[in-house]
Amino acid sequence: MAGVQTAVALREQGFTGSVVLIGAEPHQPYDRPPLSKAVLLGKAEGSAFDVDFEALDVELRLGLEVTGVSPDRRELHTANGPVPYDVLVAATGAEPIRLPGAEGVPGVHLLRTLDDAERLRPVLARQHDIVVVGAGWIGAEFATAAREAGCSVTVVEAADRPLVGALPAEVAAPMATWYADSGASLRTHARVERVEPGAVVLDDGSRLPAGAVVVGIGARPATAWLAGSGIELGAHREIVADDHLRTSVPDVYAVGDCASFPSGRYGERLLVHHWDNALQGPRTVAANIVGETPVVYDPVPYFWSEQFGRFVQYAGHHGSADTLVRRGDPAGPSWSVCWLRENRLVAVLAVGRPRDLAQGRRLIESGTRMDPALLSDPSRPLKTATL
């Protein structure tokens, strides 16, 4: 997404030089969200972007892995030899974290790429007993698809609740019931001791039958190719970009899952592994490559997830909030949570309440002061709960 959108944005904003888009995968550039839904369930064969690269005069070099970069020579290293550049945009995304000890065990899968989804599709069609390791966003989405396909699904999570890295306990805890409601089993405080052909063994000695195992325990920025380049990496091995998405070396930008950026809005550096960041960031990169006046990147982060019959949306960043306000009963089908800092909305989570999300996103952008008492009334539109 980030690489394609950068190429498109460059042309839309009037860039007339050559644009080369390099990707390690052999496939036409594709969108990822359908992989855990339509592609996985066989409702779509693929999810290639509807972009006419030839008409845009964008050269695609597919199936070509970049192994390094020499900024002093302005060259990329590839198996086909060096590729020169005047300006480089790193949009290499993130790669899934693998389960230690599970490499090479038959039946262990990841879900990140089109090839991953195509390998998993027949697994679902055969209605295997499936164990999902990790109750994060991807684990929940895959479990949803597997249940829809008629598979028996057990999700194991080392923490005490789902979405432990994404949401506070009081917000995420009610979501645990969604698994049972869909017919999936969620086992928390469950650590994987080892994976064997046909089974997952937990550290308490219990064995879970597993015709297939799907690992969803997170992702890390795909930046190993930058070793020795002098491009600064952060604590999560992400590229450290500035507020214009420039890296620490001249004429190299970074965008999407592989890069963090300083947020003036939130007063901290953000590393956002979501689709909308890979859509919005490229417009800033293109503007800074083409334009005379630097453009600052400071979005309100946004993402969504479809799981267990619910549409979950989130906008903002709640890390610095001082007040949490609930809207509606979390045991019900639709509810929201709002986070405030000094009575200004900084984040909103909406379950089946898209209007709350849309209005909340605008209120975060505007910095409008909110009345927590009015905000707690789920029948009142967010935009009318202001001070």
Side-chain angles (χ1 to χ4, degrees), residues 54-386:
E54 186 174 353
L56 287 174
D57 192 22
V58 171
E59 179 187 349
L60 294 182
R61 297 188 190 177
L62 304 176
L64 179 61
E65 183 177 2
V66 174
T67 56
V69 58
S70 297
D72 54 335
R73 297 199 303 272
R74 295 179 185 251
E75 281 183 350
L76 292 171
H77 311 159
T78 78
N80 292 352
V83 176
Y85 67 84
D86 294 313
V87 176
L88 173 65
V89 180
T92 47
E95 55 196 7
I97 296 171
R98 298 177 181 272
L99 186 65
E103 293 90 341
V105 179
V108 176
H109 298 263
L110 299 166
L111 180 52
R112 184 78 185 184
T113 67
L114 178 59
D115 288 338
D116 292 337
E118 290 180 343
R119 280 190 289 266
L120 275 164
R121 191 157 55 185
V123 173
L124 266 59
R126 290 194 292 269
Q127 297 187 333
H128 277 300
D129 289 342
I130 295 177
V131 173
V132 181
V133 183
W137 299 114
I138 194 67
E141 290 188 3
F142 177 79
T144 299
R147 285 298 300 140
E148 185 176 333
C151 300
S152 173
V153 179
T154 301
V155 181
V156 297
E157 169 58 53
D160 61 348
R161 63 186 185 279
L163 298 170
V164 68
L167 296 172
E170 66 267 34
V171 176
M175 298 176 171
T177 62
W178 298 357
Y179 289 79
D181 291 347
S182 76
S185 172
L186 172 64
R187 295 186 57 161
T188 56
H189 298 287
R191 293 187 175 276
V192 175
E193 179 71 28
R194 64 184 183 277
V195 179
E196 302 173 349
V200 172
V201 181
L202 302 181
D203 62 357
D204 63 2
S206 56
R207 296 172 61 86
L208 305 176
V213 178
V214 176
V215 179
I217 55 175
R220 60 168 62 95
T223 57
W225 64 284
L226 293 171
S229 68
I231 294 174
E232 182 186 355
L233 302 183
H236 302 283
R237 307 299 295 166
E238 87 282 9
I239 302 171
V240 175
D242 68 7
D243 58 357
H244 303 108
L245 298 180
R246 298 174 302 204
T247 71
S248 61
V249 304
D251 296 319
V252 178
Y253 294 79
V255 66
D257 291 7
C258 68
S260 66
F261 57 90
S263 170
R265 187 189 312 277
Y266 292 105
E268 61 182 284
R269 180 166 285 277
L270 300 182
L271 176 59
V272 180
H273 280 196
H274 292 297
W275 184 92
D276 192 65
N277 181 48
L279 173 68
Q280 304 295 343
R283 297 167 184 166
T284 298
V285 169
N288 286 327
I289 291 172
V290 173
E292 296 294 324
T293 305
V295 176
V296 169
Y297 187 58
D298 195 9
V300 173
Y302 166 74
F303 72 88
W304 80 97
S305 176
E306 295 177 70
Q307 51 183 267
F308 308 119
R310 294 166 173 84
F311 188 43
V312 183
Q313 295 172 283
Y314 178 97
H317 178 66
H318 64 265
S320 61
D322 54 35
T323 304
L324 185 150
V325 179
R326 293 188 180 277
R327 288 171 56 81
D329 181 2
S334 62
W335 48 275
S336 298
V337 173
C338 296
W339 286 270
L340 306 174
R341 184 179 67 225
E342 298 175 353
N343 284 340
R344 287 183 170 82
L345 195 65
V346 293
V348 58
L349 171 76
V351 178
R353 293 179 66 98
R355 187 173 298 175
D356 278 8
L357 190 288
Q359 293 181 10
R361 194 175 184 179
R362 289 193 290 269
L363 289 164
I364 295 169
E365 289 171 347
S366 65
T368 306
R369 290 175 62 83
M370 310 297 295
D371 183 327
L374 297 178
L375 200 59
S376 65
D377 179 359
S379 67
R380 175 184 287 274
L382 255 71
K383 64 183 180 182
T384 68
T386 58

